[in-house]
Amino acid sequence: MASAAFLIAGWIKGVAGIGLPTAAIAIMTLFTDPRTAIALVMFPMIGSNAWQLWRGGEILRTARRYWLFSVVLFTGVVLTAFLTQNAGDRLLLAALGVVVLIFVAVSWRNLVPPLPDRWDSTAQVGFGLFSGVIGGMTAAWGPPMAMYLATRQVEKDEFIRATGFMIFIGSLPLCYAYARLGFLTGPLSGVSIAMLLPAIAGFSLGEILRRRLTGQGFRNAILIVFVFFGLNLLRRAIWYG
């Protein structure tokens, strides 16, 4: 089940540049609890984004441009993970559902207005904090990150580089926090590492497809699937167990 989830999630990430944790967790919560699903996504998330960052190139330029967002994200993720360690499954499912639906809303149309350059530092702090709180709870901070990049109106290759860098940076403190809190155990770490293979395989297939697609119709089809994921997560949060 996990291998199929990561193959699909990696494929989506290969096409869109984001969405691996969102898709993988949404699928796996159909079969397991949210904490286990989030724990399993750790190493595929780190590995796939390191690969995406390497493939995108211009790593130092990307780091200089988004360092402020990344520092705030890093801090927010680790603090939120520890502060919400006792959050129940209902809360996590509801938060995941909301994050997925925000992701759809932001991705469907250009809903976020462009931001003047003079407000960039403020935006990086604000969206970085928002991403850190969401990421610390759910491991899926793609929506607020995508919203920030939409305000900057970055082109496709820059979007791929930026998301790879910022998700990689945010993944490290979350992995540390989950290990310290006992959510990422030795056996789960082994399974999570093994899931790198289907995740990277799916990512590679999606990357090939991304180069060939003009994309709007296919992207809309993916987002429709995410709508069902998000609504199902909210349904489970209301009628959990």
Side-chain angles (χ1 to χ4, degrees), residues 32-186:
T32 188
D33 64 277
R35 289 290 187 193
T36 299
I38 294 171
L40 287 176
V41 87
M42 292 299 170
F43 289 104
M45 183 164 56
I46 292 171
S48 64
N49 283 287
W51 178 248
Q52 180 173 318
L53 179 60
W54 176 259
R55 296 272 289 171
E58 300 187 35
I59 297 173
L60 291 178
R61 188 188 68 79
T62 303
R64 286 194 296 267
R65 182 167 182 180
Y66 300 107
W67 71 269
L68 183 56
F69 188 109
S70 300
V71 168
V72 176
L73 170 65
F74 187 102
T75 306
V77 164
V78 71
L79 289 177
T80 303
F82 279 102
L83 290 173
T84 61
Q85 60 181 290
N86 296 318
D89 286 347
R90 285 180 181 269
L91 177 60
L92 291 177
L93 287 167
L96 279 166
V98 170
V99 167
V100 170
L101 293 177
I102 291 174
F103 172 77
V104 172
V106 171
S107 302
W108 203 284
R109 292 288 184 269
N110 294 322
L111 299 178
V112 183
L115 192 72
D117 289 342
R118 66 179 182 276
W119 292 106
D120 184 60
S121 295
T122 302
Q124 288 201 38
V125 172
F127 282 107
L129 182 60
F130 184 22
S131 298
V133 172
I134 294 296
M137 288 185 65
T138 69
W141 55 88
M145 185 177 59
M147 290 169 67
Y148 164 70
L149 293 172
T151 68
R152 304 307 299 145
Q153 296 184 317
V154 301
E155 45 87 23
K156 183 178 70 173
D157 290 339
E158 176 69 12
F159 184 89
I160 297 300
R161 286 192 293 267
T163 53
F165 176 75
M166 291 189 284
I167 297 176
F168 174 75
I169 293 297
S171 301
L172 300 178
L174 186 62
C175 185
Y176 167 77
Y178 261 59
R180 284 294 304 271
L181 292 169
F183 298 134
L184 183 62
T185 62

Side-chain angles (χ1 to χ4, degrees), residues 3 113 193 205 211:
S3 295
I193 290 170
L205 292 172
R211 296 193 185 109

Side-chain angles (χ1 to χ4, degrees), residues 89-90 93-94 231-241:
D89 286 347
R90 285 180 181 269
L93 287 167
L231 292 176
N232 184 62
L233 287 164
L234 292 177
R235 178 192 64 80
R236 292 191 64 208
I238 296 171
W239 293 290
Y240 186 75

Side-chain angles (χ1 to χ4, degrees), residues 6 39-44 184 187-196:
F6 279 105
L40 287 176
V41 87
M42 292 299 170
F43 289 104
L184 183 62
L188 281 180
S189 295
V191 176
S192 182
I193 290 170
M195 291 304 103
L196 274 166

